[in-house]
Amino acid sequence: FILLVVGLAIASLIAYVQIKSESKPSLVVAENFGGPFTLIDTNGKTVTEKDFENQYRLVYFGFTYCPAICPTELQRINTVLKELGDKSNEIQPIFITVDPERDTVDVMKNYVAMFNPRLIGLTGTPQQIEKIKKEYKVYAAKVKDDTMSDYTVDHSSFIYFMGPNDTLYQIFKADDSVESMVAKIKKILS
């Protein structure tokens, strides 16, 4: 009988903890994530992390010559923003290149215009891009073999949901549905 009572007490405690943890948005824990940067936007203006410090942001790293993954992820950001309705006004979407040699200010400007009028494209020198990649733990490397006339870029593909003061709230993977992204973002914003 005592084992039954102890078992019920433990099960009740586990259920209580799960219910309480589901009612609060959980932060993704990442040491030294994000940080200071200096980049150039699609208007040729120099921007830093301070330009976004009081905003929620959906941040994606990719490149404009990407044949499939980057356009798909940027379209997913656009769909999430549409699904959020008026709440989307609280979020700044940002696309940061991992291919600064080809992704000039003009190339980035034309590219981001295809997705969302509020999407900010950021580029910079190779050194500036390397610095921000390290700060966001982004992998990217040029890939070229003898059969290719040009190169491509192999890169990690995550959408980062950042809050004011560089708080990392969520990392969305390619297999996260729009519905689950919207639900998680709404929970964090409320």
Side-chain angles (χ1 to χ4, degrees), residues 6-127:
V6 170
L8 287 173
I10 292 171
S12 297
L13 179 63
I14 290 170
Y16 173 77
V17 168
Q18 285 179 336
I19 289 168
K20 286 301 253 182
S21 66
E22 288 176 6
S23 67
K24 296 178 185 172
S26 61
L27 295 178
V28 173
V29 178
E31 281 188 37
N32 303 319
F33 193 86
F37 65 83
T38 301
L39 295 172
I40 302 166
D41 71 10
T42 54
N43 295 314
K45 178 185 168 209
T46 299
V47 296
T48 71
E49 74 287 349
K50 296 202 181 308
D51 291 297
F52 306 105
E53 69 183 347
N54 294 318
Q55 298 176 319
Y56 288 95
R57 303 172 304 281
L58 281 170
V59 180
Y60 184 73
F61 288 80
F63 64 112
T64 64
Y65 286 75
C66 184
I69 295 170
C70 299
T72 301
E73 293 303 278
L74 291 174
Q75 188 56 48
R76 193 159 61 119
I77 288 173
N78 192 44
T79 304
V80 165
L81 292 172
K82 283 181 183 175
E83 293 292 319
L84 285 168
D86 289 341
K87 285 215 173 276
S88 71
N89 295 327
E90 298 176 42
I91 302 169
Q92 176 59 63
I94 301 172
F95 174 60
I96 302 171
T97 186
V98 294
D99 184 15
E101 291 88 355
R102 293 185 294 190
D103 290 343
T104 63
V105 169
D106 289 337
V107 170
M108 290 289 281
K109 185 174 196 161
N110 292 331
Y111 189 75
V112 298
M114 295 188 294
F115 297 97
N116 187 299
R118 292 184 45 239
L119 179 62
I120 293 176
L122 299 177
T123 188
T125 66
Q127 295 79 15

Side-chain angles (χ1 to χ4, degrees), residues 100-156:
E101 291 88 355
R102 293 185 294 190
D103 290 343
T104 63
V105 169
D106 289 337
V107 170
M108 290 289 281
K109 185 174 196 161
N110 292 331
Y111 189 75
V112 298
M114 295 188 294
F115 297 97
N116 187 299
R118 292 184 45 239
L119 179 62
I120 293 176
L122 299 177
T123 188
T125 66
Q127 295 79 15
Q128 290 170 321
I129 297 300
E130 281 304 312
K131 183 177 185 308
I132 197 166
K133 281 170 34 186
K134 285 181 185 159
E135 290 166 353
Y136 280 81
K137 318 288 190 250
V138 172
Y139 163 79
K142 284 184 183 180
V143 177
K144 184 175 182 177
D145 63 34
D146 295 336
T147 64
M148 300 169 70
S149 61
D150 205 352
Y151 66 91
T152 187
V153 181
D154 186 26
H155 64 93
S156 52

